[in-house]
Amino acid sequence: MKTYIALLRGINLGSHHKIKMTELRDSLENIGLQNVQTYIQSGNVIFDTDIEGKEKIQDVVHAVILKDFGFDVPTLAVTQEAVESILKTNPFADEEENRLYFVLLKNPPEKSLVDQFKEQKFENEDFHITDQCVYLVCKKGYGNAKLNNNLIERKLKVEATTRNLKTMQKLLEMTIKD
């Protein structure tokens, strides 16, 4: 059995795609996921499963949300090791933690798109792109950033979801078994 984190994009924002975390946990347990935990209301789910491969897990979680809640929610699955690696290799680790964001990518972006994106400059913002994450520094806060999830998805042509440093650290902490 392996521990995964499912990151759901765009739930419980305003009046759109409302899902109660208790109901989400129940739905996921009903399909056989074990030790299901959620963190805050924005779609962070930790669980254990025998299902092999993150693509299959993404498909299963996506399908149960569509079936039980009636809407299409982009879903990205990552392992504890992936989150640990992303945090460990953060090129902006010296920045103030409330300025750090991680745009997790569902698939590696094409090199030509990455090269084009790297030519862009954003005032009070910086970024670094890897195959699984775009690291962001938003000196005026993410809410004011031009460099955001929608722009990254559009320019790199990949599905993505963004989390702040505190959330990433907490998710990693929640995957560690006693």
Side-chain angles (χ1 to χ4, degrees):
M1 192 141 312
K2 190 165 185 158
T3 302
Y4 281 89
I5 303 165
L7 303 168
L8 311 178
R9 179 159 184 254
I11 68 163
N12 297 334
L13 297 173
S15 61
H16 298 291
H17 297 133
K18 291 286 189 191
I19 299 178
K20 291 183 178 170
M21 293 300 103
T22 54
E23 293 174 8
L24 178 59
R25 280 192 300 271
D26 290 345
S27 288
L28 295 174
E29 287 171 353
N30 288 339
I31 61 164
L33 302 183
Q34 298 181 9
N35 304 316
V36 179
Q37 306 172 70
T38 57
Y39 175 66
I40 61 179
Q41 299 294 312
S42 59
N44 304 291
V45 187
I46 299 95
F47 54 87
D48 296 327
T49 184
D50 287 328
I51 299 171
E52 293 288 330
K54 71 177 195 165
E55 290 81 11
K56 178 75 173 155
I57 291 165
Q58 289 166 172
D59 292 346
V60 167
V61 172
H62 179 268
V64 79
I65 292 170
L66 187 59
K67 178 182 155 285
D68 291 357
F69 301 97
F71 43 84
D72 185 22
V73 174
T75 304
L76 186 130
V78 292
T79 62
Q80 169 189 346
E81 295 82 14
V83 173
E84 201 166 36
S85 173
I86 287 167
L87 290 172
K88 186 185 280 186
T89 58
N90 175 9
F92 303 117
D94 293 337
E95 289 286 338
E96 290 180 42
E97 66 179 54
N98 64 345
R99 296 178 175 182
L100 297 176
Y101 296 86
F102 302 83
V103 183
L104 296 129
L105 306 175
K106 193 165 190 171
N107 298 300
E110 291 180 23
K111 184 181 179 336
S112 62
L113 296 174
V114 171
D115 291 342
Q116 288 173 19
F117 195 84
K118 284 181 178 178
E119 293 174 11
Q120 299 194 42
K121 300 288 182 232
F122 301 89
E123 190 175 341
N124 295 310
E125 300 169 36
D126 200 0
F127 65 94
H128 176 78
I129 303 171
T130 68
D131 281 351
Q132 59 184 351
C133 182
V134 178
Y135 297 87
L136 300 181
V137 176
C138 302
K139 295 187 179 184
K140 301 278 186 186
Y142 186 75
N144 299 314
K146 286 187 169 59
L147 183 55
N148 60 32
N149 201 94
N150 291 337
L151 178 77
I152 290 168
E153 281 187 322
R154 193 170 61 252
K155 295 289 186 179
L156 296 181
K157 296 185 169 80
V158 295
E159 279 187 30
T161 189
T162 303
R163 299 297 186 270
N164 64 27
L165 177 62
K166 182 179 176 184
T167 297
M168 292 288 285
Q169 290 170 329
K170 182 64 177 179
L171 292 172
L172 180 61
E173 178 186 313
M174 291 174 73
T175 64
I176 297 169
K177 309 287 188 239
D178 294 333

